[in-house]
Amino acid sequence: MSDKLVEVALELEMSLGESPVWSAAQQTLYWVDINRGTIYAWRPASEAAPETMTLDEKVGCIALCGESGDAGLLAAAASGLVRLRLPFDGQLEHLAANPEWQKEQHEGQGNRFNDGRCDAVGRFWVGTIDAEESQPSAALYTLQDGALVRRLSGIGISNGLAFSPDRRWLYHTDSLTRRILRYPYDVESGGLGEGETWVDLEALGLPGVPDGAAVDSEGCYWSALYDGGRVVRFSPEGELLAEHEVPCPHPTMVAFGGRDLRTLYITTATQHLDDPGKASWPAAGSLLSMAVAVPGLAEPGWTGR
Ligand code: BGC
Ligand code: CA
């Protein structure tokens, strides 16, 4: 079987769809609309519309909680990390404050959280985004014993976090640089080695910026090219293996789901489209999907470590 065409899985009008995460235990896809603070839960096998919960601030990303991902959701809200219960009941448990958020000021003052994910032992990594999306004022953190520990600084837009299945590498991008880096990674201690440029969109002549990612069971890295209108697949050596056009300019992130992890879900954005742009790209803001030949990997949940 070869990869199929990209389709609309669920028609939506999201501003900034992001952070799709598949729970194998619940056969449910979760994702967010960052700008509206909405978290979605959807069982593709059911006829039902997605359930949603909306916070009163932006939500950069989510992760499953618990080893089998059935102990709620961790959400990276602008002001800090919270845990939500499932099914959604409106309750929030505060886990850690965002060190780059000024509470006494108004919403929008400070760097909100952006992309994040758990590593193979359930440690949560999360980055921030410069409020103007232009200066290297953001950072990358791990959540350790209830506190956010700064691991990398000087970032503009933290994105593309993923881990190689052999546990040797952490992938990360500062979208502003159009490069994806990889860092030698010791998953037991959480230690990072020296980063190296692994993929350079400029050198490959690829459009847009690298946004969210997921790694498949062959260790290949799928990246959504925001403003590049495609998702691309790189080998573990960083070679470009495949390019799939999507029916809108701003795909944001990918996740493998479905019973056999052979459905690639793709979130999209409308935030950078004007009205004529939205009219030309009716699928923008929807949840997209594509049947793929190589399955993905189960997403680890946050284990509280
Ligand atoms: C951010 C957006 C940004 C996009 C492209 C996303 O992860 O949340 O605000 O425009 O990346 O860099
Ligand atoms: Ca992102």
Short mmCIF file of all heavy atoms in Angstrom, two decimals, residues 18 114-115 159 211-212 252, ligand 2:
data_model
loop_
_atom_site.label_atom_id
_atom_site.label_comp_id
_atom_site.label_asym_id
_atom_site.label_seq_id
_atom_site.Cartn_x
_atom_site.Cartn_y
_atom_site.Cartn_z
N GLU A 18 -3.99 22.60 16.40
CA GLU A 18 -2.63 22.17 16.76
C GLU A 18 -2.68 20.95 17.67
O GLU A 18 -3.72 20.58 18.20
CB GLU A 18 -1.90 23.29 17.53
CG GLU A 18 -1.10 24.23 16.66
CD GLU A 18 0.28 23.68 16.28
OE1 GLU A 18 0.56 22.50 16.58
OE2 GLU A 18 1.06 24.43 15.68
N ASN A 114 3.86 26.76 23.61
CA ASN A 114 3.59 26.30 22.25
C ASN A 114 3.69 24.78 22.25
O ASN A 114 3.20 24.12 23.14
CB ASN A 114 4.53 27.02 21.28
CG ASN A 114 4.02 27.03 19.85
OD1 ASN A 114 2.83 27.25 19.62
ND2 ASN A 114 4.88 26.75 18.90
N ASP A 115 4.41 24.22 21.29
CA ASP A 115 4.51 22.77 21.08
C ASP A 115 5.10 22.02 22.30
O ASP A 115 6.04 22.51 22.93
CB ASP A 115 5.41 22.62 19.85
CG ASP A 115 5.61 21.23 19.36
OD1 ASP A 115 4.78 20.73 18.60
OD2 ASP A 115 6.64 20.63 19.73
N ASN A 159 9.05 24.43 18.44
CA ASN A 159 8.16 23.55 17.68
C ASN A 159 8.84 22.22 17.38
O ASN A 159 10.04 22.04 17.66
CB ASN A 159 7.81 24.22 16.33
CG ASN A 159 6.43 24.85 16.34
OD1 ASN A 159 5.50 24.32 16.95
ND2 ASN A 159 6.29 25.97 15.65
N ASP A 211 6.86 23.05 11.39
CA ASP A 211 5.99 23.21 12.56
C ASP A 211 5.96 21.86 13.29
O ASP A 211 7.01 21.23 13.50
CB ASP A 211 4.61 23.72 12.12
CG ASP A 211 3.81 24.34 13.26
OD1 ASP A 211 4.15 24.10 14.42
OD2 ASP A 211 2.82 25.03 12.99
N GLY A 212 4.79 21.36 13.66
CA GLY A 212 4.70 20.16 14.49
C GLY A 212 5.09 18.89 13.75
O GLY A 212 5.07 18.85 12.52
N THR A 252 -0.31 22.41 10.56
CA THR A 252 0.45 22.78 11.76
C THR A 252 1.14 21.61 12.45
O THR A 252 2.23 21.76 12.99
CB THR A 252 -0.48 23.46 12.78
OG1 THR A 252 -1.56 22.56 13.05
CG2 THR A 252 -1.01 24.77 12.27
CA CA B 2 3.30 24.04 16.50
#
